[in-house]
Amino acid sequence: MRITIIATGSRGDVEPYRALAVGLKRRLVLYRWENGAFRAGSEVALSDTPLALLWAGRNVLLGTKRDYQLVATATGAVRVLCTVQAPNDGD
């Protein structure tokens, strides 16, 4: 099996980045492809369970039922991008 994630730099340069992000309960678990196998990398604690994950360069954009967050995989820093409000059922 071969998985290649392509990261695009700010100047449009492309470089291969082999990694896997897995959302487990309130955690984001990162794995790196090394020597022909995925190796456990770091874990990032989250405020809620991720429902969707998307690689954005070397960062992970994730959506929960409450908000959208950007996780910097190099540092583990989590930034809330926006909060999702539930629609009013009475309108």
Side-chain angles (χ1 to χ4, degrees), residues 14-86:
V14 177
E15 59 182 82
Y17 182 60
R18 295 181 177 102
L20 178 67
V22 179
L24 295 171
K25 297 187 180 180
R26 293 183 177 204
R27 297 177 298 153
L28 180 67
V29 183
L30 301 169
Y31 296 88
R32 295 198 187 284
W33 184 258
E34 295 176 358
N35 301 322
F38 280 109
R39 307 279 183 218
S42 57
E43 287 189 22
V44 179
L46 303 171
S47 60
D48 201 357
T49 302
L51 301 175
L53 299 172
L54 173 72
W55 281 95
R58 290 192 179 220
N59 300 316
V60 176
L61 177 65
L62 60 90
T64 70
K65 57 183 165 177
R66 294 185 200 149
D67 54 27
Y68 290 94
Q69 302 173 11
L70 185 68
V71 179
T73 60
T75 63
V78 179
R79 186 174 90 188
V80 175
L81 300 176
C82 68
T83 302
V84 178
Q85 295 181 347

